[in-house]
């Protein structure tokens, strides 16, 4: 049976980390809201016995899994996108959770006060938060990923071991998002992280990923998503 | 060999979610920095081959696991604090990740601009963010936990199945922290979530947890931690 991904239909958002894994694996999946609208997703959100707090969530037969990192932890072994050992799996998951923290901070760079308000309602606070995100946090997160690559005993080609994992795909998406939202700050940070740049390129060149990125299944970044380009926040 | 917990020595913080699991299980563990200071923790943070991004991290022999939720996912089966099935384990983890999101938001209620700045540097922004956290987010998170309890086919005594899990312990700690930081707002929210209140009480009454809370191993909440009481932010 096909996996069902339930996520907002018009943005990449957190759902994109799941889409990339499904696409790389050539998995049979349905992106439910893009086919049928959001009614099913909204109804499923609060459905017993295991209501998800927020999209995205994945339905696999009777099982429903929410939280992006948990979805990838669940899919990893099924899609061949994580190592076999418990040590490799928990390390891959730890990297994913750290990327998830970076994504949450990228969101809060333009929404530091409340998700329920618009950007226009919090531009002054966003300018302050973005200055810190841009100057401190982007280099810190990318610098950590660089150190993870440098420390990999199998070499810096992948984050974990000698194979592609969902964490590599997520690094790609994090770099894509940061480069969209903060092009100048991200370019500066990437100048110090050549191994991150190389892995981003390697993922982009994977045949299924390249085909996906060129397809209409890949949504564009926009100012409705998590990574938003407000030029006044970059610099 | 004893588990080694590495976390800041003077605050509950995120480390407390791990401490509660170790204490409930009566596990053999060492709280390294409280015994020996932070040098080992800081050195271990950036140690190859698998450097953690931030404390807490757990050392179990040769394995190092960072990210609070990943630590609990790793410890759960070893401490008997999660169900046997993959479905129960991923659901417990999903709940933990949602609690982690609430904890991150609790932190940002007093530090909405930058962790590297003091509260005094961001009081105006903290007032705005806290108003939203207090009025919208606390009720939303506690309301979701209430629905999870109500939807549990085994009854509302526990979050998952008919047994105590690390997610129950984390619910306890979330409620403790919110009640410390936002006593008025949390009391209002808890009035609508009686099952959450009952589970909080059940955990507090567990013999090992009660002994731990009464011991000097339990640090006090303070304005150095994640949950901070600034009366001007409550209301």
């Amino acid at each position: 049976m096909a996996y069902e991904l339930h996520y907002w239909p018009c943005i990449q958002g957190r759902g994109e980390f799941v889409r990339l894994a499904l696409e790389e694996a050539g998995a049979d999946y349905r992106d439910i809201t893009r086919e049928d609208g959001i009614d099913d997703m909204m109804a499923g959100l609060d459905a017993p016995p295991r209501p998800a707090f927020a999209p995205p969530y994945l339905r696999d037969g009777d099982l429903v899994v929410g939280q992006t990192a948990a979805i990838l932890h669940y899919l990893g072994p099924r899609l061949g996108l994580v190592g076999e050992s418990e040590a490799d799996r928990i390390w891959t998951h730890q990297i994913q959770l750290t990327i998830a923290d970076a994504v949450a901070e990228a969101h809060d760079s333009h929404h530091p006060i409340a998700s329920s308000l618009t950007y226009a309602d919090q531009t002054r606070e966003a300018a302050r938060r973005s200055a810190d995100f841009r100057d401190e946090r982007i280099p810190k997160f990318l610098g950590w990923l660089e150190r993870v690559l440098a420390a990999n005993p199998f070499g810096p080609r992948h984050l974990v071991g000698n194979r592609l994992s969902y964490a590599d795909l997520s690094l790609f998406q994090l770099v894509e998002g940061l480069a969209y939202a903060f092009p100048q700050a991200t370019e500066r940070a990437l100048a110090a992280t050549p191994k991150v740049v190389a892995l981003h390129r390697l993922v982009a060149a994977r045949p299924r990923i390249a085909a996906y990125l060129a397809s209409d299944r890949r949504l564009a970044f926009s100012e409705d998503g998590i990574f938003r380009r407000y030029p006044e926040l970059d610099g």
Side-chain angles (χ1 to χ4, degrees), chain A:
Chain A
M1 198 186 308
Y3 295 111
E4 289 184 9
L5 174 63
H6 293 257
Y7 191 63
W8 303 110
C10 299
I11 61 170
Q12 291 186 20
R14 289 181 170 86
E16 195 67 11
F17 295 90
V18 183
R19 290 192 191 103
L20 285 169
L22 292 164
E23 292 283 344
E24 167 60 28
D28 184 17
Y29 80 100
R30 294 182 56 212
D31 202 336
I32 298 294
T33 66
R34 295 192 67 193
E35 299 175 17
D36 303 332
I38 67 168
D39 291 353
D40 265 16
M41 178 185 83
M42 297 308 287
L45 258 191
D46 226 0
R50 300 190 159 177
F53 184 78
Y57 65 88
L58 181 87
R59 188 181 294 276
D60 179 18
D62 288 340
L63 194 70
V64 176
V65 184
Q67 284 278 357
T68 308
I71 296 170
L72 291 169
H73 184 58
Y74 175 82
L75 285 175
R78 289 168 171 80
L79 302 183
L81 286 173
V82 72
E84 294 293 328
S85 69
E86 184 188 21
D88 278 0
R89 288 185 183 179
I90 200 79
W91 173 231
T92 308
H93 189 50
Q94 181 181 334
I95 296 169
Q96 183 66 42
L97 288 169
T98 304
I99 290 173
D101 288 344
V103 172
E105 293 191 23
H107 171 271
D108 283 8
S109 71
H110 53 77
H111 273 70
I113 299 302
S115 292
S116 54
L117 299 175
T118 66
Y119 170 61
D121 292 326
Q122 48 199 314
T123 51
R124 191 187 332 211
E125 295 91 342
R128 279 195 82 192
R129 179 145 186 163
S130 288
D132 180 77
F133 183 67
R134 189 174 80 202
D135 297 340
E136 304 296 331
R137 304 300 285 174
I138 291 177
K140 184 173 166 87
F141 280 111
L142 295 182
W144 179 75
L145 290 165
E146 183 80 2
R147 289 199 302 285
V148 169
L149 288 165
N152 184 353
F154 290 89
R157 194 171 158 84
H158 295 296
L159 286 163
V160 184
N162 56 2
R163 57 183 288 169
L164 187 81
S165 72
Y166 64 78
D168 293 338
L169 303 176
S170 295
L171 176 147
F172 165 82
Q173 178 65 9
L174 176 65
V175 170
E176 286 284 293
L178 292 176
Y180 174 78
F182 296 95
Q184 296 180 65
T186 302
E187 187 181 347
R188 281 197 303 276
L190 289 173
T193 61
K195 296 176 180 68
V196 170
V197 171
L199 179 50
H200 174 266
R201 284 203 189 119
L202 181 149
V203 170
R206 301 275 303 181
R208 283 175 174 153
I209 295 295
Y212 168 64
L213 296 176
S215 76
D216 61 6
R217 299 193 301 288
R218 171 77 164 185
L219 296 159
F221 285 109
S222 76
E223 282 55 68
D224 295 317
I226 288 180
F227 296 104
R228 301 192 187 185
R229 178 174 291 178
Y230 297 119
E232 63 274 21
L233 300 183
D234 194 13

